[in-house]
């Protein structure tokens, strides 16, 4: 079995790396791949990088064999936050830009950006809060369109509408360290599987809280697909779906009767979510995501081939007509 894509297909339900590795983002480089992931320091079972930096890095020549590459980000003062979530890296003009969220627990998170001359860092924070007007912003996803325009997709809290909670937004990246200030909510909760918690105390109220998070955008056949996670990452109902658009700014539409991209499969895959998409050495698309181990003590890195069909994107073993009733 010499083709890495074949190895991924066979081992789709087997973690690609044994250590704790949540919110995986995989960057393809001229010499291979670098994965960046969240490894929370206060979580039992997690082992943060020994070099004292935030965000674990892994390197691979083929998406199959992975090696620990240490930590990515030089940490900031504790007063700015203690919880570092969901790193993603973009390359522009000879520099690498790491976008992430920082806060205390599930309170007051905002988006930040760090920069380095190498893809493996060390990344140094630029001192910029990208979302100073947001009460809660996480899961930054920088996206470069075919015309060279950069956009920032992320999740933020919205308290109006029939289903309130954390939703997907987009803004234009005016520079790599500033947003245009024209953020728009693009995908809102529309189904019960996206409920995070009923009667959740939030913002001085008690609300049935929904969560859409982890946006990741791919352009395929001149159309844009925004993959996102929905529901509670603590529950087996957590899964990945998608919305479609003709332009990064929208309007974005979700196919309500379409199956999810990823979902729990017995004890093989538990609570898969927060994905990114990269390209395998043979040119096919691969989706990276985390899923819980059998003991529910760690979120582990998984990779699976992503197929494009007339009915939209699919991951074999997760999506198909037999799962359509599980969506809404």
């Amino acid at each position: 079995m010499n083709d890495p894509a074949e190895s991924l297909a066979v081992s789709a339900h087997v973690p690609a790396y044994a250590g704790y590795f949540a919110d995986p983002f995989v960057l393809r480089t001229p010499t291979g791949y670098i994965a960046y992931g969240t490894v929370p320091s206060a979580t039992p079972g997690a082992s943060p990088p020994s070099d004292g930096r935030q965000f674990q890095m892994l390197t691979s020549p083929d998406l199959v064999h992975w090696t620990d590459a240490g930590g990515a980000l030089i940490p900031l003062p504790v007063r700015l936050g203690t919880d570092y979530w969901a790193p993603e890296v973009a390359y522009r003009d000879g520099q690498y830009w790491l976008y992430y969220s920082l806060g205390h627990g599930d309170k007051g998170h905002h988006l930040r950006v760090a920069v380095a001359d190498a893809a493996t860092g060390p990344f140094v924070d630029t001192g910029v809060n990208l979302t100073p007007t947001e009460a809660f912003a996480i899961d930054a996803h920088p996206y470069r369109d075919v015309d060279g325009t950069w956009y920032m997709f992320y999740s933020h809290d919205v308290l109006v509408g029939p289903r309130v909670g954390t939703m997907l937004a987009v803004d234009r990246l005016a520079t790599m360290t500033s947003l245009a200030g024209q953020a728009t909510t693009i995908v809102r909760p529309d189904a019960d599987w996206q409920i995070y918690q009923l009667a959740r105390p939030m913002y001085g109220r008690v609300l049935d809280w929904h969560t859409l998070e982890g946006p990741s955008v791919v352009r395929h056949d001149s159309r844009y697909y925004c993959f996102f996670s929905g529901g509670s990452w603590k529950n087996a109902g957590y899964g990945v779906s998608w919305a479609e658009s003709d332009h990064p700014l929208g309007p974005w539409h979700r196919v309500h009767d379409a199956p999810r991209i990823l979902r729990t499969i017995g004890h093989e895959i538990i609570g898969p979510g927060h994905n990114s998409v990269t390209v395998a050495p043979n040119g096919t698309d691969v989706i990276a995501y985390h899923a819980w181990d059998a003991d529910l003590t760690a979120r582990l890195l998984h990779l699976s081939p992503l197929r494009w069909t007339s009915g939209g994107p699919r991951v074999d073993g997760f999506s198909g007509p037999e799962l359509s009733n599980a969506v809404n």
Side-chain angles (χ1 to χ4, degrees):
M1 187 178 297
N2 298 318
D3 186 351
E6 292 183 13
S7 297
L8 289 173
V10 171
S11 62
H13 294 175
V14 178
Y17 183 74
Y20 197 111
F21 203 85
D23 311 328
F25 173 77
V26 178
L27 177 71
R28 188 184 190 189
T29 74
T31 58
Y33 300 85
I34 303 173
Y36 307 82
T38 301
V39 183
S41 58
T43 299
S47 298
S50 59
D51 53 21
R53 298 175 188 166
Q54 295 290 336
F55 301 126
Q56 181 73 50
M57 293 184 295
L58 307 173
T59 58
S60 173
D62 54 12
L63 293 179
V64 177
H65 306 93
W66 292 92
T67 302
D68 184 346
L73 173 69
I74 296 175
L76 276 69
V78 172
R79 60 179 173 80
L80 293 177
T82 55
D83 292 287
Y84 295 75
W85 294 348
E88 292 210 11
V89 173
Y91 174 79
R92 183 177 184 180
D93 298 333
Q95 291 183 299
Y96 293 86
W97 303 87
L98 186 151
Y99 296 89
Y100 65 101
S101 74
L102 179 63
H104 295 279
D106 59 358
K107 307 294 182 183
H109 269 255
H110 60 276
L111 303 184
R112 301 187 69 90
V113 56
V115 65
D117 293 327
T120 52
F123 288 87
V124 178
D125 188 85
T126 61
V128 175
N129 177 352
L130 291 171
T131 53
T133 63
E134 298 277 15
F136 182 81
I138 58 172
D139 297 349
H141 172 65
Y143 176 77
R144 183 182 184 273
D145 199 8
V146 289
D147 65 0
T149 304
W150 284 87
Y151 298 91
M152 176 62 71
F153 293 82
Y154 63 98
S155 297
H156 68 164
D157 285 358
V158 179
L159 303 182
V160 295
R163 294 178 183 263
V164 302
T166 305
M167 310 181 189
L168 306 187
V170 66
D171 199 350
R172 184 174 57 83
L173 269 170
T175 69
M176 299 308 278
T177 59
S178 64
L179 297 178
Q182 301 170 344
T184 302
T185 301
I186 57 169
V187 183
R188 297 172 178 269
D190 58 13
D192 286 349
W193 70 268
Q194 300 156 1
I195 293 174
Y196 180 88
Q197 181 181 331
L198 296 174
R200 186 186 188 193
M202 293 291 291
Y203 298 102
R205 300 160 61 183
V206 177
L207 303 165
D208 290 343
W209 195 261
H210 300 68
T211 292
L212 306 182
E213 60 185 2
S216 180
V217 174
V218 176
R219 188 174 187 266
H220 180 76
D221 288 345
S222 300
R223 192 157 177 80
Y224 299 85
Y225 295 80
C226 180
F227 300 98
F228 63 90
S229 300
S232 171
W233 60 272
K234 303 175 183 179
N235 299 333
Y238 192 64
V240 173
S241 188
W242 81 91
E244 302 178 30
S245 178
D246 293 322
H247 190 275
L249 294 178
W252 289 85
H253 306 283
R254 200 175 84 79
V255 181
H256 293 278
D257 60 351
R260 290 183 229 175
I261 296 294
L262 303 171
R263 57 160 295 188
T264 292
I265 301 177
H267 297 289
E268 297 180 73
I269 295 289
I270 303 172
H274 200 113
N275 76 280
S276 65
V277 177
T278 191
V279 179
N282 67 356
T284 60
D285 288 334
V286 171
I287 186 169
Y289 53 96
H290 65 226
W292 287 101
D293 62 5
D295 296 326
L296 301 180
T297 58
R299 289 179 286 175
L300 306 177
L301 170 65
H302 290 254
L303 297 110
S304 297
L306 179 68
R307 293 192 303 109
W308 297 93
T309 74
S310 59
R314 295 286 187 269
V315 178
D316 289 339
F318 289 93
S319 53
E322 72 278 5
L323 301 183
S324 61
N325 292 331
V327 177
N328 291 305

